[in-house]
Amino acid sequence: MTGTHQTLALLLFSLFVAVTLGITTWVSRRRHGSAEEFYAGGRLFSPIENGFAIAGDYMSAASFLGVTGLIALYGYDGMLYVVGFLVAWLVVLFLVAELVRNCGRFTLADVIAARMSERPVRIAAGTSSVTVSVLYLVAQMVGAGSLVALLLGRTSGAAQAWAVIGVGALMVIYVSLGGMRATTWIQIVKAVLLLSGTVALTVLVLVRFHGDFDRLLLTAAEHSGHGNAFLAPGLKYGGNWTARLDFISLGLALVLGTAGLPHILSRFYTVPTARAARRSTVWSIGLIGGFYLMTIVLGFGAAAVVGPDALVPSNGNTAMPLLALDLGGGAGSTGGTVLFAVVAAVAFATILAVVAGITLASSASVAHDLYASLRRSRGKARSEVTVARFAAVGIGVVAIALGLLARDLNVAFLVGLAFAVAASANLPVLLYSLFWRSFTTRGAVWAVYGGLVPALGLVLLSPVVSGSPGSLFPDVDFQYFPLQNPGIVSIPLGFVAGWLGTVTSDEVADEAKYAETEVRSLTGAGAV
């Protein structure tokens, strides 16, 4: 990139950072230091505000950078991510949003612990939530590294490393100082910027092809190097039965995983009532649906305009900014410079906002679930909030380290792994807790670990980690599981483990607690 590109993009990004740091500082002076304020923003957000914040939380670097790149590289098969991400919200709307808001206070573990022995359940759910959050954070860090390398015109590990470290430092500041209130407003600002930028690029792509979507698709297929196969199923997931099973596994993870993501579940506690939680979800579905429809246009636009040769080195992660550069007039033009800088700044904003939300959810799990369960006596809520702030620092360090290790993988693919773990470990225990009268503490603990351990184990033994040129450790081979996404195996194992733990348990389920949970989840009576 030219010096003008770099300077303008960095100026716009610096402006966003300054605004968000200003929001964080303002909120930190007004907050009361209570757990409810730090974890849930005082439950004062309206459905519209929370809907924009949920959309901002969900439309991550994987969506803005990774999904567009996968569509540009693989055409129809890349578009399958869009379907999975969007359909997942029907599960959230009909099975999760209102019930979770009524039954919990701050975290997933609150819902489960309402009718179980609290300590083992909180430790299990807290461990799972932190694991999912760290995997999700890694994807955002990889996106940050790819974007900075493109922006600065440097592909060195040092440039990407400093980008990852900088994003990590900012996310720790946002969370530790501002809590949920600052994080929510950062998400809202980011959602508005992201949707505005996506609309502008979509309009420019359609104008380039005179509104003829058929022409866009045919040109994309022609320039992709794959011909008509680019527009048909099978380019990435149809070569053999292993690839087809991988697609089914990915689809299961994407559709079921959203309902188990800790940073999404925690957003339902920021509104005052269950009805507001449902309305928040409806707002978010509208915003997210519109966004993903536009990513289809942009993905095929990147294939048609930019071409695969420029996208392959970054695994497609740079498709969006390179498309903006070309649509604005190309390298060296004023329009290209401005549009590239805007898109790069929006992408940075996307990464910063999402990592703030994920870090807050994971630090809440550490403090509210793990720390509160392991300490012998309960102190003041303020001490728990202090632990959450320290946890944000620790989680940031871990995410930075793993982000540096995985910097050559596609960010959408990395998020797929996080979804698989969430669907395997969090969703079974959540659904059993809400709907199975006989569910016991042993069943809850087994459901979490019965999904979490196989999901992580199968990933370690998969082509993602070793045995292939694009893996984390290409020079060694301990690849024994053929699929890249473990969901098709680990999700059923989570449900089976929960059932097996319950039927082999000597504990008798507390009928009164289940009845109380059922009434509370369906009516909101007694909800916080």
Side-chain angles (χ1 to χ4, degrees):
M1 296 297 104
T2 65
T4 308
H5 288 87
Q6 297 171 20
T7 303
L8 186 56
L10 289 173
L11 281 174
L12 290 172
F13 174 61
S14 300
L15 178 62
F16 175 81
V17 171
V19 170
T20 52
L21 285 176
I23 292 172
T24 303
T25 304
W26 175 66
V27 169
S28 66
R29 291 176 177 174
R30 298 178 70 247
R31 61 178 168 78
H32 304 297
S34 67
E36 185 174 68
E37 176 69 27
F38 186 81
Y39 296 141
R43 310 188 199 279
L44 298 175
F45 291 100
S46 69
I48 297 177
E49 291 169 344
N50 198 44
F52 269 89
I54 291 173
D57 234 342
Y58 195 69
M59 297 183 300
S60 66
S63 304
F64 192 61
L65 301 176
V67 170
T68 308
L70 286 174
I71 295 173
L73 292 176
Y74 301 108
Y76 182 96
D77 280 11
M79 200 167 61
L80 297 173
Y81 275 86
V82 172
V83 177
F85 281 142
L86 188 53
V87 171
W89 279 95
L90 297 178
V91 178
V92 176
L93 178 63
F94 292 118
L95 290 180
V96 173
E98 287 186 74
L99 307 185
V100 166
R101 173 62 189 82
N102 284 336
C103 291
R105 291 186 67 215
F106 305 125
T107 64
L108 167 68
D110 288 334
V111 180
I112 307 165
R115 48 181 292 229
M116 309 290 174
S117 296
E118 196 163 322
R119 191 180 186 200
V121 166
R122 284 195 180 277
I123 292 172
T127 301
S128 173
S129 295
V130 171
T131 303
V132 172
S133 297
V134 168
L135 285 172
Y136 212 111
L137 279 172
V138 170
Q140 313 309 314
M141 297 299 187
V142 171
S146 298
L147 197 61
V148 167
L150 174 69
L151 177 63
L152 300 180
R154 300 173 185 172
T155 56
S156 67
Q160 296 188 34
W162 280 111
V164 169
I165 292 169
V167 169
L170 283 170
M171 79 182 184
V172 169
I173 293 172
Y174 291 147
V175 172
S176 59
L177 289 182
M180 179 59 84
R181 194 184 294 271
T183 301
T184 299
W185 281 110
I186 292 169
Q187 301 286 14
I188 292 170
V189 172
K190 167 255 174 149
V192 172
L193 290 174
L194 181 61
L195 288 168
S196 301
T198 308
V199 168
L201 287 179
T202 302
V203 170
L204 289 174
V205 169
L206 294 175
V207 168
R208 172 72 67 93
F209 291 91
H210 306 289
D212 189 343
F213 194 68
D214 286 344
R215 183 181 169 194
L216 168 62
L217 294 180
L218 292 174
T219 306
E222 180 183 345
H223 291 177
S224 69
H226 300 290
N228 290 333
F230 188 72
L231 303 178
L235 189 59
K236 181 174 174 61
Y237 295 112
N240 50 46
W241 278 106
T242 301
R244 292 170 188 169
L245 283 175
D246 221 347
F247 160 64
I248 296 172
S249 186
L250 172 67
L252 282 172
L254 295 180
V255 171
L256 300 178
T258 299
L261 292 176
H263 66 290
I264 297 297
L265 294 175
S266 66
R267 293 235 59 92
F268 298 126
Y269 299 125
T270 64
V271 290
T273 64
R275 183 169 182 266
R278 183 178 69 250
R279 290 176 60 200
S280 297
T281 307
V282 172
W283 271 98
S284 64
I285 288 174
L287 295 169
I288 292 166
F291 170 77
Y292 279 120
L293 287 175
M294 289 186 287
T295 62
I296 295 174
V297 176
L298 295 175
F300 284 112
V305 174
V306 179
D309 292 341
L311 301 177
V312 169
S314 67
N315 282 309
N317 291 335
T318 56
M320 192 75 92
L322 288 177
L323 175 63
L325 180 64
D326 199 291
L327 291 173
S333 67
T334 302
T337 300
V338 171
L339 204 54
F340 173 88
V342 169
V343 169
V346 168
F348 272 126
T350 296
I351 292 167
L352 279 181
V354 171
V355 296
I358 301 168
T359 305
L360 179 61
S362 53
S363 63
S365 292
V366 170
H368 186 62
D369 299 328
L370 298 178
Y371 170 72
S373 298
L374 294 174
R375 65 180 179 177
R376 293 190 174 275
S377 60
R378 293 186 176 276
K380 296 180 180 179
R382 186 181 297 276
S383 64
E384 189 178 295
V385 173
T386 301
V387 171
R389 293 195 175 102
F390 282 112
V393 178
I395 290 164
V397 171
V398 172
I400 288 169
L402 292 176
L404 294 175
L405 182 66
R407 62 175 175 262
D408 293 327
L409 299 179
N410 181 278
V411 290
F413 168 72
L414 287 169
V415 164
L417 297 182
F419 275 65
V421 176
S424 304
N426 291 349
L427 186 64
V429 70
L430 179 60
L431 294 183
Y432 278 151
S433 296
L434 291 172
F435 300 111
W436 189 11
R437 184 183 300 273
S438 302
F439 198 44
T440 64
T441 300
R442 178 190 284 183
V445 174
W446 283 26
V448 173
Y449 293 127
L452 178 65
V453 174
L456 294 177
L458 292 175
V459 168
L460 290 175
L461 300 176
S462 75
V464 177
V465 176
S466 70
S468 62
S471 62
L472 290 178
F473 304 107
D475 298 328
V476 295
D477 187 0
F478 45 89
Q479 177 193 148
Y480 300 104
F481 181 67
L483 306 183
Q484 293 187 341
N485 194 292
I488 196 170
V489 176
S490 58
I491 294 172
L493 283 178
F495 282 99
V496 170
W499 170 81
L500 189 62
T502 297
V503 299
T504 59
S505 174
D506 295 330
E507 177 188 355
V508 178
D510 191 325
E511 293 281 340
K513 283 188 176 179
Y514 174 76
E516 180 184 342
T517 300
E518 185 177 36
V519 171
R520 181 172 169 179
S521 66
L522 295 175
T523 67
V528 177

